[in-house]
Amino acid sequence: MSQWVEACAVDDVEEEDLIRFDHDGRTFAIYRSPDDEFYATDGLCTHEHVHLADGLVMDHIIECPKHNGRFDYRTGEAKGAPVCVNLRTYPVKVEAGRVLIDLS
Amino acid sequence: MGGMVIVGAGECGVRAAFTLREEGYEGTVTLVGEEPHLPYERPPLSKNAPPAVKLIAEETRYRDLSIDLLRGTRGQRIDRENRRLVLADGRTLDYDRLLIATGARARRFAGMEKARTLRSVGDADAILSAIGAGTKLVIIGGGFIGLELAATARGLGAEVTVLEAADRLMARAVPAEIAAMFEDRHRQEGVRLRLGAKVEALEEHAVVLADGSRIEADIVVAGIGAEPITGLAADAGLAVDNGIVVDGCLRTADSSIFAAGDCCSFPYRGAPVRLESWRCAQDQGAHAARAMLGCGDSFVRVPWFWSDQYDLGLQVAGLALADRPFLRREVGDGAFVLFQLDGQGRVLSASGVGTGNAVARDISIAEKLIERGIVVAPEVLCDPGTRLKQLLKG
């Protein structure tokens, strides 16, 4: 069963950037890639559970603001020390200028 | 037939072992650690109470990667002729390539036998379990470790005095303007700071300063830097000069032996440097692993440090030079970054402070500007309206 939730408007996220989205006691990160695609992951780094929203997006990589751990936000794959555990990702769709993520 | 042997199971050694596997190496990988614990992260030890051991990786990861983790022993002697490492427990390990990643030990001085130091989880347990409300804690040294411990101890209600011999805090790594901000904050939090304080003697329950003053102490901790652990290399006839001397590939004069992390002295921008840096240990571990597999690239990653004290986050990229001016960039909410440019206008260093992770993006971008040798006009850097990321796009 899909559970689509509206996260933000398309224009809320700049290109090659991310924003934080909180919903129902959980926190997520919504990304807009340089090629204008949207992605969503859990919001907290798997290393020390710092929110990724203060981090830097370069291309398809999010760098944690705390200790520079890196993930590919399209797949959640951990890409560099100190992170060893992948990020969970969520399906995303864009409808009528709104970004929706599937929390199921 | 030997494989890869890594002596030292801290951040550097562990990352080297993982990288060997990530790079597809299929021979034996043996990681030798002196402590009985699984390899753990050291940075949290001064920042959290009670100390919670944060493992670098779960035990299953070593098994899954076929990394032989030998705990509770250390390298005793290198038999270079036979490419064999002799362990303290008498076992021997033949190697094709050996990485020395033995790290550093807390520096001590004569007469400070009564002071504790903070380097291992055992140290942290011993110190923090002795601290509670009203405990008189005296910390010798106003560097990262001492100040992080001061903040942690204030959180536990201890009466904290920090003694620093220099005329300001964190003089080795942080611009004066940022050090002053931390000084103010520690004083606000009730830490007694004594700058220009020369320790004369440690008594049973007091620290005596050169000016004759006596500071009562239930517990004394010295955080006065660290010295590289180089005996294994020195005894094997390898050059040691403020660390095990390595080339740009992190290789010693013996082409089978590499050194990385806190224990090595490596060339950074033309000068030998030894860093005590968690991130550098990780980066060099990974780089050394690739070098052990034949990669000839030089290590060029920009140094990066951080410290957390109270809710203040400090981040530094690059190595600041004493003789270059600082350019201040406001980040908002009191957070700022101090940049330095070299004589050609290239970004040389960036040091930032703010609440939480306020400066993280700017420092991360600065690190890349430094790495790429990008020239930036001072007024562009200082303009809060400048999107730093655009500078990376050329």
Side-chain angles (χ1 to χ4, degrees):
Chain A
M1 256 321 264
S2 294
Q3 188 194 340
W4 290 99
V5 174
E6 185 181 312
C8 59
V10 164
D11 292 343
D12 290 342
V13 197
E14 293 189 24
E15 215 169 87
E16 204 180 28
D17 207 351
L18 82 162
I19 61 162
R20 173 176 179 157
F21 168 60
D22 293 345
H23 176 79
D24 200 18
R26 296 161 69 188
T27 187
F28 305 92
I30 312 294
Y31 307 82
R32 187 174 185 172
S33 73
D35 39 13
D36 215 23
E37 296 286 336
F38 286 83
Y39 298 89
T41 71
D42 274 337
L44 302 181
C45 178
T46 58
H47 175 236
E48 278 196 8
H49 313 295
V50 168
H51 210 289
L52 295 165
D54 290 329
L56 179 70
V57 173
M58 293 290 286
D59 203 8
H60 294 113
I61 298 291
I62 172 67
E63 189 178 80
C64 176
K66 195 75 204 163
H67 304 121
N68 301 160
R70 291 173 185 179
F71 303 92
D72 185 326
Y73 56 79
R74 298 168 301 177
T75 61
E77 187 185 356
K79 284 291 192 185
V83 291
C84 300
V85 179
N86 295 346
L87 270 179
R88 184 176 169 189
T89 60
Y90 299 86
V92 177
K93 64 183 179 185
V94 176
E95 286 180 353
R98 315 301 294 176
V99 180
L100 294 91
I101 69 174
D102 181 5
L103 302 183
S104 59
Chain B
M1 181 64 186
M4 300 295 187
V5 173
I6 300 163
V7 58
E11 200 69 46
C12 182
V14 170
R15 299 294 169 186
F18 291 167
T19 303
L20 285 168
R21 291 301 187 218
E22 286 161 14
E23 295 287 327
Y25 179 71
E26 293 180 351
T28 59
V29 175
T30 310
L31 182 59
V32 181
E34 191 170 8
E35 292 186 69
H37 318 279
L38 280 169
Y40 61 90
E41 295 187 1
R42 295 189 195 279
L45 297 179
S46 51
K47 300 177 179 75
N48 300 318
V53 174
K54 181 165 175 49
L55 299 178
I56 295 174
E58 297 295 331
E59 191 164 17
T60 50
R61 185 143 191 230
Y62 300 92
R63 271 206 305 275
D64 293 347
L65 294 173
S66 301
I67 292 165
D68 299 326
L69 177 59
L70 308 183
R71 293 191 254 162
T73 188
R74 57 190 172 76
Q76 178 91 357
R77 185 170 61 84
I78 303 170
D79 174 354
R80 285 171 55 188
E81 194 176 342
N82 295 300
R83 289 206 287 199
R84 182 171 294 156
L85 177 71
V86 181
L87 300 181
D89 59 17
R91 284 181 287 180
T92 60
L93 297 169
D94 291 349
Y95 63 82
D96 288 328
R97 297 282 181 275
L98 173 69
L99 173 63
I100 304 173
T102 40
R105 65 171 68 87
R107 183 170 290 130
R108 306 182 75 88
F109 57 83
M112 65 170 271
E113 291 73 16
K114 294 189 181 72
R116 299 170 189 263
T117 54
L118 175 49
R119 184 82 192 172
S120 68
V121 68
D123 297 339
D125 279 335
I127 292 166
L128 292 167
S129 63
I131 291 175
T135 304
K136 295 182 176 67
L137 168 67
V138 176
I139 298 169
I140 302 170
F144 284 9
I145 296 275
L147 295 175
E148 287 169 9
L149 178 61
T152 303
R154 284 301 293 148
L156 295 170
E159 294 177 24
V160 181
T161 304
V162 174
L163 307 173
E164 169 55 50
D167 59 2
R168 70 173 179 92
L169 301 175
M170 298 184 286
R172 266 197 321 159
V174 176
E177 201 174 338
I178 290 178
M181 190 167 163
F182 279 93
E183 182 181 332
D184 290 347
R185 182 58 186 274
H186 279 282
R187 291 192 196 280
Q188 283 166 19
E189 296 284 347
V191 174
R192 298 185 193 98
L193 292 176
R194 300 276 301 256
L195 302 174
K198 304 284 190 292
V199 175
E200 183 77 19
L202 299 190
E203 297 178 353
E204 195 61 47
H205 296 292
V207 177
V208 182
L209 299 184
D211 65 6
S213 52
R214 263 177 106 262
I215 301 158
E216 283 185 36
D218 298 314
I219 176 168
V220 179
V221 178
I224 51 171
E227 52 195 20
I229 299 172
T230 57
L232 199 57
D235 292 349
L238 296 168
V240 172
D241 183 5
N242 183 33
I244 302 164
V245 176
V246 293
D247 65 13
C249 301
L250 308 178
R251 189 173 35 215
T252 68
D254 182 323
S255 61
S256 304
I257 303 177
F258 297 74
D262 287 16
C263 70
C264 85
S265 169
F266 68 100
Y268 177 71
R269 303 190 166 208
V273 166
R274 190 178 71 80
L275 293 178
E276 291 160 17
S277 153
W278 185 69
R279 230 272 309 270
C280 181
Q282 290 171 353
D283 292 343
Q284 289 196 338
H287 193 92
R290 289 188 287 270
M292 290 160 88
L293 296 172
C295 174
D297 293 349
S298 283
F299 180 79
V300 293
R301 197 85 201 267
V302 170
W304 180 89
F305 306 87
W306 97 98
S307 179
D308 298 322
Q309 296 165 39
Y310 310 106
D311 61 350
L312 288 179
L314 162 79
Q315 292 195 12
V316 179
L319 297 179
L321 290 181
D323 59 349
R324 304 294 307 174
F326 289 103
L327 305 163
R328 182 169 167 139
R329 173 184 171 83
E330 301 297 337
V331 178
D333 295 330
F336 62 93
V337 177
L338 300 176
F339 287 92
Q340 280 186 310
L341 304 179
D342 70 10
Q344 286 74 48
R346 295 172 299 202
V347 183
L348 178 74
S349 74
S351 311
V353 62
T355 304
N357 298 317
V359 298
R361 280 191 187 196
D362 278 12
I363 296 295
S364 185
I365 294 164
E367 186 191 330
K368 293 162 182 65
L369 292 169
I370 296 165
E371 204 153 89
R372 299 178 197 180
I374 291 177
V375 173
V376 187
E379 62 274 16
V380 171
L381 270 184
C382 297
D383 179 355
T386 300
R387 289 174 54 100
L388 289 184
K389 201 164 158 185
Q390 286 307 115
L391 302 174
L392 292 170
K393 311 275 181 195

